[in-house]
Amino acid sequence: MAEEFNTDSMLDMFLYESGQLLEKLEGIILEKQDADCFDDTDINEIFRVMHTIKGSSGVLMYENITKVTHKLEDVFYYLRESHPDDVPHMELVEKVLAVSDFVTGELDKLKSGDTPDGDEKQLVEELDEFLSRLKGEIKKQGIEMPQANRHVEPTQFYITPVAGDDSHFYRISIHYRSDTQMSNLRAYSATYALKEVAEDLLYTPDDILSNEASADVIVAEGFHMLLQTKSSKEEVISLIDSSEAEEINFDELTKEEYGSALGEFGREEAAPAAAPAAAAKDEAKETKPDKPKPGDYVVKTKEAGKGKTLAKNQPKQQSIISVNVEKMDSLMDLIGELVIAEAVVLQNPDLKVPGLELSNFQKASGQLSKITTELQEVIMSMRMMPLTNVFQKMRRIVFDVSRKLGKDIELEVIGENTEVDKNIIEHITDPLMHLVRNSVDHGIEENAEDRTAVGKPAKGKITLEAKNEGGKVYISVKDDGKGLNKDKLYQKALEKGVIENKPMSEFTDKEIFRFITLPGFSTKEEVTEYSGRGVGMDVVVKNIQTISGRLDITSVEFEGSEMTLVIPLTLAIINGIVVQVGNSPFVIETASIKEFVRVGEDSLIHEPSGEEYIVLRGECYPFIRLNEKYDLPDSVDKIEEGIIVVLEHEGSQVCVLIDKLLQEQEIVVKPIPSYVRKVKGLSGCTQLGDGSIALILDIAGLLMHDGERR
Amino acid sequence: MAEELLKKEETDETEELLEEDTQKGMFMTFQTGKEFFGISISYVNEIIAMQPIAAIPEVDDYIKGLINLRGKIIPVIDVRVRFKLEPCEYTDRTCIIVIDVKSTMIGLIVERLADVDTIAEDSIVPPPSLGRKEHEHNKYVYGLARTGDTVTLLLDPEKLIKQDDIAAAMEDIRKEEQS
């Protein structure tokens, strides 16, 4: 495992980090989607995100990602520097989301081991067009603007990189021929090439990209650079494009000389922030810029490696480290073992010798138990994650779908900090997405007039809420739309033949609403891009059931509907009752147990076919003898001697005969190894306190099996 | 960082090579009934004493159940039953060889361990096929080797744990994922 991790760690890091950044990006965008514009903090943040992704994708040579992010970076650079007034905010939001989607798509390709080959051209063109339009509008107002991305954040204060012993220092001066066109761009390409190897790079004139006039200065006075690098002279020279250069002066400096040379380049001026603003003002007045002031800012040595980009991010993500899930799992396994080993030591039979003085031992062991319990709690809490990210995706969906459908919808999010086990989060994202999409598409009325006609505000509202109650998490999607029409549902169910001509009065509201979770059931007349094909709700329910959750539906016609997912806090630990049949222990989830009873032979009904039923308080339940079903020897056969457990799942019940109850405890669920074929009625296995293994009964499986047999 | 990684990879590779070299031709041999069997040592993870086994219902009889290997739950199969021999009582000489086949961990219950032997490749002969074709044995014994006075039957663990079992398991998983 370790090797795998190392080989791909660059890529892993890239994927992980970019994923995080994109999520952050979407967060910002969607938060501000309804505002008129982004504020400075947001613009800076988006700029930084694009910059980082561009940098790291560049290192890994994913050109299309680099290009797209670079373009968007340009746009935001422009926004940041020029503060244009009338930015078409909605269009900007769409552009950012398009880029985010593109990069996410490419990252997904990488994740599945493909090469990211998405075509970036169209997107780049669109961005180009957008940017030039932005600039064009500004130009009309007669304000000059910086031209392109300087790759530098002007407000940063410079800290000289620590020079290693093997660092060399050079002063490089390039004089271009007097007829050289755009010498500033040539100079820029030289600095760009050197950045690859530079530990530190200063140059003057410093505003080569933003100021076209600098070209004249460069031609007249030459372009001067100070470079600190580990590369040799030859390597550096080979990097500089000398095609148009008349003369290149190349001096190697000592560290001391370099230090004093820094002064010439204006390093000691620690107030660079004012410079760009001042420059902009100068340009606006159409005055020739002054002689370029010595470098107000420097090119940071970035892109030298992933490590550095990471280090740059550290201050923001200091408190979070990412850990491979496998490592977490093995840590959890080990802690489980530790607890068992502890029990073995503390209850060792050797300690039971009479007359032993154990008071010190008892004290020490008390301390040990405390620590192990705490350890267990900590590891469990490490698996918990807030729902924030999932909810963010939902925001995006509401945004996209509502815009496409032309509905005006507001999304309210409550309780996004509710924490849920990581595995569960993976399972609920898709179902939740479906529910949200349904609400937007079907729930909210097509026309605002329909809403105002029944006295509702024109703007639709969807509420996404998560809360933690009694060991379960409730996630609800509520809309104030048209609600479900019971008659329509009933008619549809009749047509589909899922109900055998029973009158509508025989069904409760809940039962009628539950029809929509049947496969192929859609009351929407036409199929849209988003929903209406009738695949969906049944899949939602199925997915939720695999994590032993359920879907509750309530709805009032014309007022709205609410879909609530009720899911367990964690999959990994369930509260179970350990029972014994024959020599084998089994675990039954406490939540699905209705009651334990002892009954006599007289409650048992035998059918001629061999089926058996149990009558309890006048109700008849199917009956399963676990010992017969699973062929377990040495177990109780007489019904009076054993115990009947009444189990309930999704409204249907079954009675199971067991030998005896052992204990109730929290158990850690583990899958049965895949080598062993899946056994119906077993959902997993677990370790008991003494290290032995118990199988976990799967009530749904038991019921299904029983149904099939009949 | 990248250089470091590269270096690390290299050393890993050489280590692996070395390991493979020293393990080459070495076989873990065990006795079942009168016969000796051998498994290439590269498959063997560890050997543990007999443990309480949790039986699983509704599976093939040679799958004895699950054991708990330091928190990891792995299935164990009884080699005698797998060979269609009469099962024998487990004694304190009985032990479990934990093997790792294509990253599936499985325990093999064997009557008694014999030794770790080096068997030269040229002393391995394919099992005589005449008249034995219909035998189950042919499937997972891929060679015979003479060591001293005894003949060791060399086992192919991949076939021993029966390919179609794994295939079926994978199939099941796939189905589950789809649904």
Side-chain angles (χ1 to χ4, degrees):
Chain A
M1 195 186 83
E3 287 129 65
E4 277 171 29
F5 191 63
N6 277 338
T7 328
D8 293 331
S9 67
M10 288 258 279
L11 184 59
D12 275 355
M13 264 320 214
F14 172 63
L15 290 175
Y16 173 76
E17 189 187 286
S18 305
Q20 296 264 307
L21 287 171
L22 287 175
E23 265 170 27
K24 199 150 123 205
L25 178 71
E26 281 202 1
I28 299 171
I29 300 288
L30 295 174
E31 203 173 292
K32 291 291 161 67
Q33 54 166 306
D34 296 326
D36 294 333
C37 62
F38 294 113
D39 59 29
D40 285 353
T41 338
D42 297 331
I43 292 178
N44 277 328
E45 194 57 35
I46 297 169
F47 178 79
R48 201 186 68 81
V49 167
M50 282 302 131
H51 189 75
T52 311
I53 297 179
K54 185 189 78 175
S56 22
S57 61
V59 171
L60 291 165
M61 316 266 270
Y62 299 130
E63 257 184 46
N64 51 357
I65 301 180
T66 317
K67 278 186 189 147
V68 169
T69 46
H70 178 74
K71 268 289 163 258
L72 191 63
E73 192 189 342
D74 279 353
V75 172
F76 274 87
Y77 177 77
Y78 173 72
L79 290 177
R80 195 178 69 175
E81 293 304 310
S82 312
H83 302 291
D85 290 331
D86 46 357
V87 180
H89 183 70
M90 234 37 214
E91 203 180 335
L92 181 61
V93 166
E94 271 173 13
K95 290 280 182 287
V96 177
L97 290 180
V99 169
S100 156
D101 282 349
F102 177 80
V103 178
T104 312
E106 298 307 288
L107 292 182
D108 282 345
K109 282 185 202 161
L110 282 171
K111 269 179 211 157
S112 50
D114 301 334
T115 35
D117 50 0
D119 187 13
E120 79 284 0
K121 282 202 189 72
Q122 198 196 344
L123 199 51
V124 170
E125 269 164 30
E126 276 175 30
L127 285 169
D128 261 341
E129 189 256 345
F130 181 67
L131 181 59
S132 56
R133 200 144 34 94
L134 272 184
K135 288 180 179 173
E137 281 168 17
I138 305 302
K139 248 183 191 148
K140 271 177 233 148
Q141 293 165 15
I143 304 169
E144 280 272 343
M145 69 289 168
Q147 260 130 16
N149 181 358
R150 289 188 231 188
H151 285 274
V152 184
E153 287 150 49
T155 49
Q156 72 195 173
F157 289 88
Y158 190 81
I159 299 157
T160 316
V162 181
D165 291 339
D166 48 352
S167 295
H168 303 281
F169 305 94
Y170 303 103
R171 177 206 288 270
I172 307 164
S173 303
I174 307 176
H175 294 275
Y176 292 100
R177 279 198 290 276
S178 52
D179 57 344
T180 306
Q181 297 291 308
M182 293 194 296
S183 58
N184 57 332
L185 290 184
R186 293 192 181 279
Y188 175 73
S189 70
T191 62
Y192 193 80
L194 287 178
K195 257 187 282 171
E196 302 288 316
V197 296
E199 288 176 309
D200 188 13
L201 178 69
L202 304 187
Y203 48 86
T204 175
D206 58 282
D207 47 358
I208 41 178
L209 269 187
S210 54
N211 186 354
E212 278 177 36
S214 65
D216 304 335
V217 180
I218 290 171
V219 172
E221 301 184 2
F223 181 65
H224 305 279
M225 287 181 278
L226 263 190
L227 174 69
Q228 174 188 329
T229 178
K230 283 198 165 61
S231 307
S232 69
K233 192 172 171 179
E234 288 72 28
E235 282 169 345
V236 174
I237 291 178
S238 68
L239 283 172
I240 302 175
D241 166 30
S242 54
S243 55
E244 290 286 324
E246 203 171 47
E247 188 188 355
I248 298 181
N249 291 331
F250 207 93
D251 301 320
E252 181 150 5
L253 307 176
T254 64
K255 199 169 177 178
E256 289 69 34
E257 283 171 332
Y258 180 76
S260 61
L262 283 180
E264 294 170 33
F265 282 74
R267 173 62 56 77
E268 71 276 6
E269 287 179 19
K281 226 160 94 193
D282 288 346
E283 287 168 34
K285 281 188 213 145
E286 297 261 349
T287 53
K288 273 253 162 184
D290 305 339
K291 283 264 171 73
K293 285 204 186 74
D296 287 334
Y297 60 86
V298 290
V299 173
K300 271 199 16 175
T301 57
K302 51 171 182 125
E303 280 150 342
K306 199 70 182 162
K308 281 193 183 151
T309 334
L310 254 187
K312 202 171 110 196
N313 287 341
Q314 225 88 80
K316 301 233 168 194
Q317 303 178 350
Q318 218 165 26
S319 51
I320 293 175
I321 59 163
S322 62
V323 180
N324 191 327
V325 178
E326 276 175 52
K327 287 186 186 168
M328 287 277 296
D329 286 346
S330 65
L331 179 62
M332 202 156 100
D333 283 350
L334 282 175
I335 289 175
E337 282 301 291
L338 181 69
V339 173
I340 291 158
E342 181 201 343
V344 173
V345 172
L346 299 187
Q347 287 150 32
N348 202 297
D350 290 3
L351 297 170
K352 307 255 155 68
V353 179
L356 274 184
E357 180 55 57
L358 285 174
S359 65
N360 281 326
F361 177 83
Q362 299 294 8
K363 253 187 228 159
S365 62
Q367 179 72 5
L368 179 64
S369 318
K370 232 188 201 163
I371 294 172
T372 44
T373 318
E374 218 163 284
L375 247 184
Q376 242 181 335
E377 277 165 17
V378 170
I379 184 78
M380 285 326 295
S381 73
M382 277 162 81
R383 300 182 58 92
M384 305 296 268
M385 280 172 52
L387 284 165
T388 322
N389 287 344
V390 181
F391 276 21
Q392 200 167 335
K393 275 190 197 135
M394 302 309 138
R395 280 185 197 193
R396 174 73 195 274
I397 286 166
V398 173
F399 176 77
D400 278 357
V401 181
S402 63
R403 273 177 67 81
K404 284 237 173 88
L405 295 172
K407 295 181 182 179
D408 195 8
I409 294 173
E410 162 194 6
L411 176 73
E412 190 185 1
V413 174
I414 304 170
E416 56 183 331
N417 289 324
T418 311
E419 290 199 327
V420 184
D421 190 278
K422 188 178 182 309
N423 291 345
I424 292 194
I425 288 195
E426 280 160 15
H427 278 93
I428 59 168
T429 311
D430 281 352
L432 199 57
M433 212 138 72
H434 199 92
L435 293 181
V436 169
R437 219 179 271 155
N438 268 351
S439 281
V440 178
D441 196 1
H442 305 264
I444 305 288
E445 292 87 344
E446 303 289 329
N447 305 310
E449 293 84 56
D450 295 348
R451 294 179 59 83
T452 42
V454 285
K456 287 190 279 191
K459 193 168 193 174
K461 183 170 178 185
I462 292 179
T463 313
L464 193 57
E465 182 178 2
K467 62 185 176 200
N468 189 340
E469 243 177 55
K472 299 252 174 194
V473 177
Y474 293 75
I475 303 177
S476 61
V477 181
K478 192 165 140 192
D479 63 63
D480 64 348
K482 51 185 178 252
L484 293 169
N485 184 325
K486 275 185 275 178
D487 298 317
K488 225 163 147 191
L489 284 173
Y490 174 75
Q491 284 306 326
K492 186 91 181 180
L494 267 186
E495 279 169 36
K496 292 258 169 194
V498 279
I499 42 171
E500 294 138 3
N501 288 328
K502 283 186 204 161
M504 193 171 157
S505 52
E506 272 197 22
F507 296 96
T508 63
D509 287 2
K510 263 201 166 154
E511 278 169 329
I512 293 179
F513 293 146
R514 202 175 281 162
F515 289 157
I516 66 169
T517 66
L518 296 171
F521 201 96
S522 173
T523 51
K524 181 106 175 172
E525 281 78 22
E526 73 224 80
V527 172
T528 69
E529 182 187 347
Y530 300 106
S531 36
R533 272 163 299 219
V535 283
M537 286 309 275
D538 59 318
V539 180
V540 168
V541 171
K542 226 182 227 165
N543 281 353
I544 292 302
Q545 278 173 358
T546 55
I547 53 168
S548 45
R550 62 165 204 271
L551 175 71
D552 284 350
I553 304 166
T554 53
S555 179
V556 179
E557 195 166 10
F558 304 120
E559 283 178 25
S561 355
E562 179 169 5
M563 314 269 168
T564 309
L565 300 178
V566 185
I567 47 175
L569 254 185
T570 167
L571 273 187
I573 290 198
I574 61 170
N575 218 328
I577 289 184
V578 187
V579 304
Q580 188 166 348
V581 184
N583 298 319
S584 311
F586 287 91
V587 177
I588 305 173
E589 197 184 343
T590 313
S592 56
I593 296 178
K594 245 185 103 190
E595 60 177 329
F596 298 104
V597 280
R598 269 184 203 276
V599 296
E601 194 69 42
D602 52 340
S603 309
L604 201 60
I605 298 172
H606 299 267
E607 242 189 51
S609 66
E611 286 293 309
E612 288 173 310
Y613 302 106
I614 285 206
V615 178
L616 275 181
R617 294 181 291 270
E619 294 241 12
C620 193
Y621 299 99
F623 180 54
I624 297 174
R625 288 172 189 264
L626 269 192
N627 56 343
E628 281 177 16
K629 181 172 162 60
Y630 289 145
D631 199 17
L632 303 164
D634 309 326
S635 65
V636 174
D637 249 342
K638 287 211 180 101
I639 195 161
E640 300 95 329
E641 289 167 19
I643 298 171
I644 302 287
V645 193
V646 185
L647 302 172
E648 186 177 43
H649 178 79
E650 299 270 313
S652 40
Q653 282 124 359
V654 63
C655 291
V656 172
L657 176 67
I658 57 162
D659 289 10
K660 57 179 176 190
L661 298 169
L662 293 180
Q663 61 197 314
E664 176 174 17
Q665 66 171 188
E666 298 223 304
I667 55 162
V668 179
V669 181
K670 295 184 177 178
I672 295 176
S674 57
Y675 175 69
V676 180
R677 261 176 236 195
K678 194 166 163 50
V679 181
K680 280 244 170 70
L682 297 181
S683 60
C685 54
T686 187
Q687 265 170 276
L688 298 180
D690 60 355
S692 63
I693 296 172
L695 301 170
I696 300 169
L697 286 182
D698 169 26
I699 315 305
L702 273 181
L703 280 165
M704 209 165 67
H705 202 48
D706 199 50
E708 275 169 19
R709 211 175 51 190
R710 261 183 266 163
Chain B
M1 196 176 83
E3 285 154 39
E4 231 168 73
L5 280 179
L6 284 177
K7 224 184 253 168
K8 172 100 180 63
E9 240 169 74
E10 261 169 42
T11 49
D12 278 353
E13 256 167 45
T14 42
E15 259 168 38
E16 229 163 66
L17 279 180
L18 275 179
E19 213 173 277
E20 219 148 75
D21 238 2
T22 49
Q23 284 183 359
K24 206 172 177 218
M26 291 187 82
F27 287 83
M28 174 109 251
T29 59
F30 57 88
Q31 193 181 0
T32 284
K34 278 181 200 157
E35 255 137 344
F36 286 88
F37 295 90
I39 290 183
S40 169
I41 210 160
S42 56
Y43 287 106
V44 179
N45 258 20
E46 63 183 301
I47 292 152
I48 51 174
M50 197 60 197
Q51 299 208 356
I53 296 174
I56 325 170
E58 293 186 353
V59 289
D60 293 335
D61 56 350
Y62 63 87
I63 298 178
K64 280 292 159 194
L66 304 171
I67 57 164
N68 172 16
L69 182 72
R70 292 186 301 282
K72 216 173 195 168
I73 291 177
I74 63 169
V76 288
I77 66 181
D78 188 325
V79 175
R80 276 188 72 92
V81 183
R82 182 75 181 97
F83 293 160
K84 305 251 183 319
L85 301 171
E86 281 301 303
C88 66
E89 285 281 304
Y90 298 148
T91 65
D92 50 351
R93 307 230 35 178
T94 312
C95 53
I96 300 175
I97 304 179
V98 180
I99 58 169
D100 185 336
V101 184
K102 292 181 178 164
S103 48
T104 309
M105 296 250 275
I106 289 176
L108 305 177
I109 302 173
V110 299
E111 265 182 275
R112 51 159 48 183
L113 281 183
D115 206 350
V116 175
D117 279 335
T118 309
I119 298 173
E121 212 162 308
D122 49 14
S123 65
I124 301 176
V125 289
S129 59
L130 186 68
R132 287 191 61 172
K133 257 192 183 128
E134 70 279 12
H135 271 256
E136 274 288 294
H137 284 205
N138 264 0
K139 279 190 191 161
Y140 34 77
V141 175
Y142 74 91
L144 304 175
R146 178 170 282 281
T147 46
D149 306 333
T150 56
V151 171
T152 306
L153 305 168
L154 302 182
L155 298 175
D156 180 349
E158 282 174 36
K159 301 240 172 73
L160 182 70
I161 64 168
K162 206 162 138 205
Q163 204 93 55
D164 36 306
D165 273 7
I166 290 191
M170 297 314 280
E171 187 74 8
D172 278 352
I173 292 170
R174 231 172 286 134
K175 260 185 220 154
E176 204 136 280
E177 274 167 3
Q178 273 165 12
S179 70

